[in-house]
Amino acid sequence: MLVALHCEPLFPSVNTRIMPFSTDTNWLQGLLNIFNASRNQNASVESRYYGPYDRPFNYAMIEGSFTFFLAPRTALDEYSPRDAVDFSNFLVVLNQEQKPVLFAEIEDDRWANVPDRRHRMDTQMRQRYDQMLHGTDCPIPRLYRLSLLGTSLRVYCGDKATGEVAPHFVGRPNVHRILPPDFSEGQWNLDMLSPDGLTKMQEIDAYIKGAVRWGLI
C-alpha cells in the first residue's frame, strides 16, 4: 500500500524575484551590504573595491541577457613614479564582438582627497579616450567611462564622431608650482551608491541598451 507523504520545505518560501534594474529606486540592500563590508577592510583597493564592483555592473547590464559580458582588466599606470610600478584596475562591459561599450576605472577612496591623484586619474581617463575613439574598437557613438575613487563617481563621455570628451579638461594652474589643495575638488562628488548615483547608472544603461535596439551597435 502506497502512502502519500507530505514534506514541509526545509526552508520557508522566499520571493527571490529581482525587479528590473531600470525600475529600481534604490540599490539593493544586499549590494550595499557588500560595499559596507568592503569599506571596513584595511586592505588594498584590489580587494576592497575591485571585487565588489563586479556585482552592480553585472546586475545592471549583464544578468538575464547574453548581449554583453563583464571583463576585468589591468593596465600599467604610465603616470606612476619612476621608481614604482603601479597598475590601474578597471572593468569593461563588452558586446558579443568583444568591443567595449562601458569602462569603469577603480581606485581607492583616498585618491579623492589628494589633488595630485585627482589630476592623475583625470589624465589617465583622457589618455584612454585617445586610444579608443580614434580606432575601430569603439562600436557606440557615445562611449562612457566611469572614474571611481572608492564609491565617489565622475562620469566621462566621449563622442566618437567629434572626438570631444566631457567634462572638458582643466590644466594645471601653474606648471611651475604644485597643485593647489582645491584643484578639481568636488569633481568626484557623486556617490555611486546613492539614489542619484543609481539614477545616473540607469541613464547610462538605458543609452547603451537603446543603442542596441536602434541598431547602433
Side-chain angles (χ1 to χ4, degrees), residues 22-125:
S22 61
T23 64
D24 287 345
T25 56
N26 290 285
W27 290 103
L28 299 179
Q29 187 58 50
L31 188 145
L32 298 178
N33 291 343
I34 291 172
F35 275 86
N36 287 335
S38 298
R39 282 195 180 105
N40 294 328
Q41 292 181 0
N42 185 22
S44 64
V45 61
E46 287 82 359
S47 57
R48 283 178 49 160
Y49 288 113
Y50 197 41
Y53 266 118
D54 175 89
R55 288 305 300 132
F57 289 108
N58 263 301
Y59 170 60
M61 302 195 64
I62 313 298
E63 291 177 1
S65 169
F66 295 102
T67 305
F68 305 110
F69 66 98
L70 188 68
R73 293 285 190 270
T74 58
L76 182 65
D77 182 356
E78 298 179 7
Y79 295 91
S80 61
R82 293 184 179 181
D83 58 348
V85 177
D86 292 334
F87 289 88
S88 298
N89 302 285
F90 54 99
L91 297 171
V92 188
V93 178
L94 301 160
N95 66 6
Q96 291 178 337
E97 288 72 41
Q98 300 196 30
K99 293 186 176 183
V101 297
L102 178 67
F103 284 86
E105 193 152 341
I106 305 161
E107 297 293 352
D108 197 67
D109 312 71
R110 290 164 286 194
W111 281 51
N113 301 318
V114 182
D116 180 66
R117 293 293 181 98
R118 295 192 298 262
H119 178 59
R120 179 170 150 190
M121 178 60 123
D122 182 64
T123 303
Q124 286 179 181
M125 298 293 284

Side-chain angles (χ1 to χ4, degrees), residues 21 27 102 144 146 153-157 190-192 194-207:
F21 173 69
W27 290 103
L102 178 67
Y144 284 95
L146 310 180
L153 171 64
R154 191 183 195 194
V155 178
Y156 292 76
C157 182
L190 179 60
D191 186 350
M192 168 80 168
S194 70
D196 287 342
L198 172 66
T199 299
K200 176 56 69 175
M201 287 301 302
Q202 287 170 328
E203 292 173 359
I204 295 171
D205 176 65
Y207 169 73

Side-chain angles (χ1 to χ4, degrees), residues 1-19:
M1 180 178 178
L2 298 177
V3 178
L5 298 178
H6 177 70
C7 298
E8 294 294 333
L10 183 61
F11 300 104
S13 176
V14 177
N15 183 3
T16 58
R17 185 172 67 92
I18 297 177
M19 297 297 291

